[in-house]
Amino acid sequence: GHLQTHSLTYEGCNFFRQRLVLATLSGKRVKIRNIRSRDDNPGLRDFEASFIRLLDKVTNGTRIEINQTGTVLFYQPGLLYGGAVEHECCAQRSIGYYLEALIMLAPFMKNSLRAILKGVTNDPVDPSVDLIKATAVPLMKTFGIDGEGLEIKVVRRGMAPGGGGEVHFSCPVRRTIKPVQLTDPGKIKRIRGTAYSVRVSPQMANRIVDSARSILNQFIPDIYIYTDHMKGASSGKSPGFGLTLVAETVNGTFLSAELASTPQGQGDPVLPEELGKSCAKLLLEEVYRGGSVDSTNQSLALLFMTLGQQDVSKTLLGPLSPYTIEFLRHIRDFFQIMFKIEPQKPEDEQKGGEKVLMTCVGVGFANINKTLK
C-alpha cells in the first residue's frame, strides 16, 4: 500500500472547492500553488476568498495562509464545528456555489448547522438554490440524513448581478452514513417545477410555464409548475426570471434542469418563451442521461458513498461529468478509495443513454469523527 500522506499539494485554481471540502473532511492539510499565477490579475478571486471565510466559520482551529500575491494557499483544516453561521456570499457566484459545499460538510459537524446565506440565489452559472432544494435534499434523505432538521428555504430571491437574496439551510448531524443500492431509477411518474420572476411583470412566469408545458405535455400528463413572484424586499436588487424543472421517478429519483435569464447588463436578453422551451429540452436531455442521481449531484452521491459505513454501496449514474471524474481522483487522493466503474448498455431505447454503475466500500467515516463527541 502507499504511505498515507497528511499533506497534499495541487496546482492551479480548478476544483478549488473539491480540494478544500475533502481536506476538511479527511483532516489533511492541503497546499495549492500557482493560482492564476500567469494571469494579468493573479491569485485568488473574491468568491474564492469568500468560500475560505465560510469554511473558517463552520470549523474550529482552521489555519489558513495565503501569500502576498494570492497565488499560494496553505489550508490546515480544524474540526467541523457547525452551529449558527451567517455568511454574505460574494456575488460573483451564486449561493448555490457555497451551499453545495456546505451540504457535503453539514452531516459531519459537531453541532447541527443553521446557516443563513445572503447573495445571489439564481444566476446562469451555478446550480440555483431551487435546484439544490429539489434534488440534493431527497438524495440526502436516501443516505439517512433526514428528519425535521433538514431544510433549505428561500427567504428572499436575488438575481445576478445585484443579489440581495437570502437562504436558510439547516441540517442534522449524523454519526454514520448508511450504504445505498441505487441501481434502478425507474420510470418518470411526474414533473414539477418553479417558474420565478422578480422585478419584472408577473406575466413572465406564466409565459415560461405555458411554453415549457407545450413541450412536456407530449410525454406525461402529471405536470405542475408553480409560479413564484416575490415582491418588495423579498425580490432582491436585480430584475430577472427563470425556471427549475424536476422529473421524479417511481423509485424516488429526481432529475433536474434549469435556466435563468441573462443578468441585467450582461448580454442579449432572453424571451420567457425561449427560456421555457429550452429548459424543457434540457430536462428531456437529463432524463435521457438518466441514472439514480442527476448530473448536478453526482459528486454528492459519490462522497456520501465514500464516507458510508464499511459496506458496499452501488449507484447507477448517467455519463460522468468531467467535474465528477476529477472528484473521483480527489477522493482517491484524500481517502484512498477507488470506485469500480462498470459501463452499462441500456437493454432498450426506453432506458435512455449509456450509464455507469459505480461501486465502492465506504471508509466508515464515523470512526474518524468519534473524537468529536
Side-chain angles (χ1 to χ4, degrees), residues 24-85:
T24 308
L25 288 167
S26 64
K28 291 183 178 172
R29 298 188 295 272
V30 68
K31 187 176 183 179
I32 304 178
R33 298 191 306 219
N34 290 325
I35 301 171
R36 302 187 184 87
S37 44
R38 301 209 173 137
D39 217 89
D40 291 342
N41 177 14
L44 291 167
R45 296 282 174 261
D46 289 348
F47 70 89
E48 291 159 331
S50 175
F51 182 76
I52 296 168
R53 283 197 297 277
L54 178 58
L55 289 182
D56 194 37
K57 284 178 188 175
V58 297
T59 55
N60 235 345
T62 293
R63 264 185 59 213
I64 298 153
E65 290 167 24
I66 299 168
N67 73 342
Q68 207 118 32
T69 52
T71 54
V72 181
L73 165 72
F74 171 79
Y75 178 83
Q76 184 174 334
L79 289 177
L80 276 166
Y81 193 75
V85 172

Side-chain angles (χ1 to χ4, degrees), residues 30-230:
V30 68
K31 187 176 183 179
I32 304 178
R33 298 191 306 219
N34 290 325
I35 301 171
R36 302 187 184 87
S37 44
R38 301 209 173 137
D39 217 89
D40 291 342
N41 177 14
L44 291 167
R45 296 282 174 261
D46 289 348
F47 70 89
E48 291 159 331
S50 175
F51 182 76
I52 296 168
R53 283 197 297 277
L54 178 58
L55 289 182
D56 194 37
K57 284 178 188 175
V58 297
T59 55
N60 235 345
T62 293
R63 264 185 59 213
I64 298 153
E65 290 167 24
I66 299 168
N67 73 342
Q68 207 118 32
T69 52
T71 54
V72 181
L73 165 72
F74 171 79
Y75 178 83
Q76 184 174 334
L79 289 177
L80 276 166
Y81 193 75
V85 172
E86 192 169 318
H87 190 67
E88 188 72 50
C89 301
C90 170
Q92 291 171 349
R93 302 296 292 257
S94 87
I95 289 172
Y97 173 87
Y98 302 87
L99 186 56
E100 281 189 307
L102 277 188
I103 284 175
M104 290 182 159
L105 298 169
F108 310 103
M109 296 190 174
K110 184 171 183 177
N111 304 298
S112 301
L113 181 68
R114 299 183 308 286
I116 297 175
L117 302 173
K118 296 179 174 178
V120 172
T121 54
N122 303 83
D123 73 8
V125 184
D126 294 302
S128 72
V129 180
D130 306 85
L131 184 115
I132 293 170
K133 177 178 176 147
T135 58
V137 169
L139 181 62
M140 291 168 84
K141 290 178 178 170
T142 310
F143 284 93
I145 305 157
D146 50 15
E148 2 228 79
L150 180 63
E151 193 190 18
I152 295 174
K153 195 171 165 199
V154 183
V155 180
R156 298 177 173 182
R157 261 187 211 290
M159 300 295 293
E166 183 176 320
V167 174
H168 294 186
F169 169 51
S170 61
C171 180
V173 175
R174 286 291 172 266
R175 287 285 160 246
T176 55
I177 298 290
K178 63 180 201 207
V180 295
Q181 303 290 319
L182 304 175
T183 52
D184 178 19
K187 286 193 160 65
I188 305 291
K189 68 170 174 184
R190 60 174 170 229
I191 293 172
R192 293 291 176 265
T194 304
Y196 57 86
S197 57
V198 288
R199 302 193 170 271
V200 294
S201 155
Q203 243 349 86
M204 292 293 193
N206 300 334
R207 287 163 63 186
I208 293 171
V209 172
D210 292 344
S211 58
R213 289 195 72 114
S214 71
I215 289 183
L216 298 172
N217 272 335
Q218 302 166 42
F219 298 94
I220 197 167
D222 188 351
I223 301 174
Y224 194 85
I225 303 172
Y226 298 86
T227 52
D228 172 339
H229 183 71
M230 286 192 169

Side-chain angles (χ1 to χ4, degrees), residues 2 4 8 22 26 28 301-313 324-341 358-365 368:
H2 81 87
Q4 186 150 4
L8 291 157
L22 292 173
S26 64
K28 291 183 178 172
L302 295 170
L303 176 70
F304 287 159
M305 289 167 73
T306 299
L307 299 177
Q309 292 161 351
Q310 288 172 319
D311 208 338
V312 176
S313 272
T324 301
I325 290 166
E326 208 55 47
F327 191 73
L328 287 167
R329 291 190 178 125
H330 284 115
I331 281 179
R332 186 188 60 202
D333 291 350
F334 285 96
F335 286 104
Q336 286 73 54
I337 288 278
M338 302 276 279
F339 278 75
K340 186 162 142 203
I341 305 177
M358 307 294 292
T359 309
C360 82
V361 175
V363 294
F365 192 69
I368 303 173

